[in-house]
Amino acid sequence: MNIAGGKESVSGGDPEGAQRFAGEVKFVSYYAQKLADILGMRGLVLGIVEDREGQTSFRSTSSGCHGSVSGNKRSLWQVRESLMKS
């Protein structure tokens, strides 16, 4: 998923899955940014949230937000490399 200039694009999967995926990335990135603000962080660049079912990650840039959802847990290095390519 990419969000740039207020426009959102989701690639892969069926329309229902894409909508659910976009909602999950937005939810995670919103609350991660709120937590960063509470902790006094200057900026949140990369976030990863894991649960029993998988991993949701996002990267914030000046041009927008890039996010992904994975059914398996990946290392920080793998997540960072994947998000840098998008």
Side-chain angles (χ1 to χ4, degrees), residues 4-83:
K7 294 187 179 184
E8 174 183 306
S9 65
V10 178
S11 59
D14 59 89
E16 182 181 321
Q19 185 175 11
R20 188 172 52 249
F21 163 78
E24 186 170 334
V25 171
K26 286 178 185 177
F27 177 86
V28 167
S29 59
Y30 174 81
Y31 283 102
Q33 187 60 56
K34 291 294 183 190
L35 180 60
D37 293 343
I38 291 168
L39 295 173
M41 296 174 67
R42 293 184 192 169
L44 183 62
V45 177
L46 178 71
I48 302 171
V49 177
E50 294 181 345
D51 61 15
R52 282 183 265 155
E53 297 173 8
Q55 186 180 71
T56 302
S57 56
F58 67 92
R59 176 176 66 98
S60 297
T61 65
S62 59
S63 63
C65 178
H66 307 282
S68 68
V69 175
S70 176
N72 57 348
K73 295 181 182 177
R74 300 173 297 163
S75 70
L76 177 59
W77 180 84
Q78 290 172 316
V79 170
R80 185 172 171 265
E81 289 295 312
S82 171
L83 291 174

